[in-house]
Amino acid sequence: RSSDLGEDFTVHPRAVRDPAELGPQDYVIVTLKAHQVPGVVVRLGGAFGAIERDGQALKRFNPEFRKRLDYYIADEPAVIRCRELLATRLLPLVFRAFQFRTTRIERWLVGCYDARTGGYFRPHRDNTAAINAHRRFALTINLNEGYGGGDLVFPEYGRKTYRAAIGEAIVFSCSLLHEVTPVTRDRRYAFLSFLYDEAGEKMRNESSANLGR
């Protein structure tokens, strides 16, 4: 069961031992024990890549474009608490700065960029394909420190790097070209999501309907 601002919905994923049985998928949930994570990340490195590039949705993941391990928060109390904190502490500032009233948050995701697998995200935009054109602002909240690399860069405006302190947020337009530099030491953990509104939700529904035809 998952929640978005103003909407709850339930999905019933299909579980298989062999991913080849499923074919192309928008989302894949991998379940494993904690001690298995390092080995699985190495073996499945090709599964962690971008879903779109140059305005086109990719049917295959490309590990040369992105290497990141994603964890979707499924615990309902945790999701509710995250929503409350964003609604009270962050979204009012987003409105003050950008005059944009957020009504939807796309996902509740913690990403891990690991130096052992060369974690990075090459230059990209977050809303150039039909499946993600509804996104207005990207959100990243740093969850740890002590890692090397893993900084945010906007290459169209130079090579200056940006890194928020633990618990601080960086919010920027999804139309901006940006990248995450390779993590060179330890791991970087961050809460990563996208903000949009009811107009964006209409676009998202229309895009989903078109994909289903």
Side-chain angles (χ1 to χ4, degrees):
R1 184 169 179 267
S2 184
S3 298
D4 209 334
L5 284 181
E7 178 183 8
D8 291 345
F9 59 94
T10 302
V11 295
H12 301 282
R14 178 185 172 194
V16 298
R17 290 184 179 275
D18 183 3
E21 296 178 20
L22 297 176
Q25 299 291 313
D26 290 327
Y27 295 95
V28 176
I29 300 174
V30 180
T31 60
L32 61 155
K33 295 181 179 179
H35 68 272
Q36 298 174 309
V37 172
V40 171
V41 170
V42 172
R43 291 171 58 194
L44 297 182
F48 305 105
I51 62 169
E52 60 86 19
R53 188 176 188 181
D54 296 332
Q56 299 295 323
L58 299 180
K59 292 184 179 180
R60 297 181 180 180
F61 294 107
N62 182 1
E64 295 183 358
F65 190 65
R66 185 187 79 181
K67 284 189 178 180
R68 189 183 74 208
L69 180 64
D70 291 340
Y71 171 78
Y72 286 83
I73 302 173
D75 180 68
E76 190 64 17
V79 171
I80 291 174
R81 183 57 175 158
C82 287
R83 184 192 298 115
E84 290 175 347
L85 290 173
L86 292 178
T88 56
R89 299 187 181 185
L90 178 68
L91 299 187
L93 298 179
V94 171
F95 179 77
R96 182 189 301 176
F98 302 111
Q99 292 297 292
F100 178 79
R101 194 174 301 280
T102 302
T103 61
R104 302 273 176 169
I105 298 177
E106 180 170 322
R107 64 191 187 188
W108 309 92
L109 181 150
V110 174
C112 172
Y113 294 95
D114 194 333
R116 290 180 298 178
T117 56
Y120 57 78
F121 207 152
R122 303 304 190 204
H124 65 286
R125 306 179 200 275
D126 289 322
N127 62 357
T128 52
I131 58 174
N132 55 30
H134 62 279
R135 297 171 177 172
R136 292 293 303 276
F137 293 95
L139 164 64
T140 174
I141 301 177
N142 260 14
L143 302 179
N144 70 311
E145 57 186 8
Y147 57 89
D151 295 318
L152 184 63
V153 176
F154 299 93
E156 292 175 309
Y157 301 96
R159 298 304 301 176
K160 178 178 174 59
T161 59
Y162 298 86
R163 177 185 299 197
I166 295 178
E168 292 185 352
I170 298 177
V171 178
F172 57 92
S173 170
C174 288
S175 299
L176 291 178
L177 188 71
H178 60 285
E179 66 179 290
V180 177
T181 62
V183 172
T184 57
R185 184 181 70 256
D186 207 354
R187 299 169 181 165
R188 176 200 173 198
Y189 293 94
F191 176 82
L192 307 169
S193 194
F194 301 102
L195 312 178
Y196 61 110
D197 58 8
E198 295 309 301
E201 177 67 4
K202 182 179 178 181
M203 292 176 60
R204 188 181 189 186
N205 290 336
E206 291 174 350
S207 175
S208 297
N210 291 333
L211 287 175
R213 292 176 183 174

